[in-house]
Amino acid sequence: MAGLWLFVASLPPLDLTEATQRSVTVVDREGRLLRAFATREGRWRLPVDTAEVDPRFLLMLKAYEDRRFDSHAGVDLRALARAALQLVWHRRVVSGASTLSMQVARLLEPEPDRSLQAKLRQMVRAVELERRLGKTELLDLYLRLAPYGGNLEGVRAAALSYLGKEPKRLSHGEAALLVALPQSPEARRPDRSPEGARRARDRVLARAAASGLLTAEEAAAARQEAVPAARKPFPMFAAHAAERAAAERPAATTHRLSIDRRHQAALEALLAERVPRHGPAVSGAIVVIDNATGEVRVRVGSPGKLSEERRGALDMTAALRSPGSALKPFIYGLAFESGLAHPETLVDDRPSRYGSYGPENFDLTYQGTVTARRALQLSLNVPAVELLNGVGPARFVARLRQAGAQISLPAEAAPGLAVGLGGLGISLLDLTRLYAGLARGGTAPALVTRLDGATPGREGRVTEAVPAWYVADILRGAPPPDSAAAGRIAFKTGTSYGYRDAWAVGFDRRVTVGVWLGRPDGGAVPGLVGRLAAAPILFDSFARLGIEPEPVSMPAGALLASTATLPPPLRHVRADVPKTIAATVQAPLRIAYPHNGSRVDLGAGRAGGPEMPLALKVSGGRPPLTWLVNGAPIGEPDPRRSASWRPDGAGFARVSVLDSNGATDSVVIRIE
């Protein structure tokens, strides 16, 4: 006895470090596995506990490996005495006495031999484990550490690899197979020795039947189940998003994303099915955003992560690409917000030039005079450029950036009118987020990609609520692709120059879906048009999400009118007519005095300079008013419609006035 105590005292403290080593896992919003990563040693050891395993497996495990597990203290003395008597009587090992607790001890502290000293050490450690952890946690350790052949450790890794399923629900035959393998994992590996695995499984079934866990009929039926002959790949949903999450927090072992695995799997299958139709080197991507929360529910970065031909390793949801016409809705939204137009305002679709730039429509035809609504639904280029010219391309790009989108311009050049037709770079993720802003009353959501404590970004204003609804209402009436129902979702397509990118983004009240197709290397794909290639995938995405589309609610203040009933300044887009909201309810802003081209004698030519100030008067507009002379303000904004200015000498001067709605008027006079 003294020798035993000396042996126990000589042992180092119990080290549970090995038990903490595990695979990094990425799970979806409900905790379902999206992707797992092997440990540094190349092993698959996934987190699992007794609550996540089929109860029949646990019953079979105890019946086969350790019948008195729930009652002994780590060492089964009865089994130990029986094994010793059998060894003496038969002069060979007939049965073992190793408990599950002792097996966990061996897994934590592997011994190179099976000596008596090694067995004694296992018994001591088993008792320590029982006292330190308790039965449930000790059984959890076995479920995580048990060897299953090759680099598989733990029942969950084995179930996923051999059976292609989680161990939560197992058939009798599957449960028996997973009980049998750890006893001799290499010799019984189903992928190398399916017959050996079958015989071991059948022995477990026989023991379960003898113990009363199974009826004879259930055991016979379980023996008829096929044994898997090959390993299956581990789940790899949202592979790019999972990689990104793991790289963001390398110290974490579990990452919980906002993705919904069921929807992710459905749209990954859809993209993998459709993309091959467009050529061998074509890739694709899909993003789904929950409008209310900003959560990214689906993020498909390519049709196949492992596809070298399509460069599947590249996450095309984050790649900067030319959006083609997909940004036009935001031009119209800003034009509506600025009072330049209304959905029923007439615009001219005719050949026009802006300096050296002459926009043309995609089909090289012109529609004449159409409403802004029709121009956007038909994705006409010329009206979009005219509105962008009125809004200002620099202001347009600034608004997109303020909304949170990363915009790339060629060599950081100043924005020109070409930005409205795809002359910039934007990612699918950002573009989809901007469209979600239209569904949310003009506010782009702060994207939420993970649900494990990450701080989301900020919301950003795309446009005001009424213009956002105008755009949503227009896009809901856009003609759908062939075989798709009209009027169900608001959507817009885009095709970049040279057929390099095909886009389709659509939304209803609840979700926004973005689709991109193209070559990752930026090569042209003849015939790759957004309406023909990306739009059908967009509509099928909504169908596979199982969502019945709901229109965006109309906000207060929306003006429902025909072209004829619009206020006169809003009936036609003309550069010389103010389109501000103020102009629809009151007289336009005009400088009443002095008159344009007039000469005003203020005595400027006399010694001492002008003898008196010049009176300035205005009619119309909305105060407060700001006066400027030669571009420089001459005072603070003033609620009055009159002001005065004392010139500093004779000569020509440009006098301008700006009201609170942004309307302006100017005159040029000569001071004498």
Side-chain angles (χ1 to χ4, degrees), residues 434-478:
L434 292 177
Y435 273 83
L438 296 175
R440 287 164 46 96
T443 302
L447 285 188
V448 177
T449 59
R450 52 195 309 157
L451 303 179
D452 49 10
T455 302
R458 295 181 179 179
E459 296 182 345
R461 172 63 64 180
V462 176
T463 184
E464 299 298 328
V466 170
W469 182 79
Y470 284 158
V471 173
D473 185 57
I474 291 171
L475 295 181
R476 193 161 177 259

Side-chain angles (χ1 to χ4, degrees), residues 589 624-628 633-638 640 656-660:
L589 181 69
L625 305 173
T626 301
W627 290 90
L628 305 96
I634 62 172
E636 298 296 324
D638 196 324
R640 297 173 297 177
S656 304
V657 66
L658 172 70
D659 76 358
S660 62

Side-chain angles (χ1 to χ4, degrees), residues 99-118:
T99 63
L100 288 173
S101 309
M102 292 170 63
Q103 293 181 45
V104 171
R106 184 175 69 250
L107 294 170
L108 290 173
E109 295 181 344
E111 291 284 353
D113 55 41
R114 292 175 172 262
S115 64
L116 180 61
Q117 182 177 345

Side-chain angles (χ1 to χ4, degrees), residues 610-635:
E611 296 180 346
M612 63 186 69
L614 174 65
L616 307 175
K617 297 182 180 181
V618 70
S619 64
R622 174 171 293 179
L625 305 173
T626 301
W627 290 90
L628 305 96
V629 175
N630 296 328
I634 62 172

Side-chain angles (χ1 to χ4, degrees), residues 333-345:
L334 199 51
F336 296 155
E337 178 185 297
S338 302
L340 296 176
H342 177 275
E344 306 308 324
T345 298

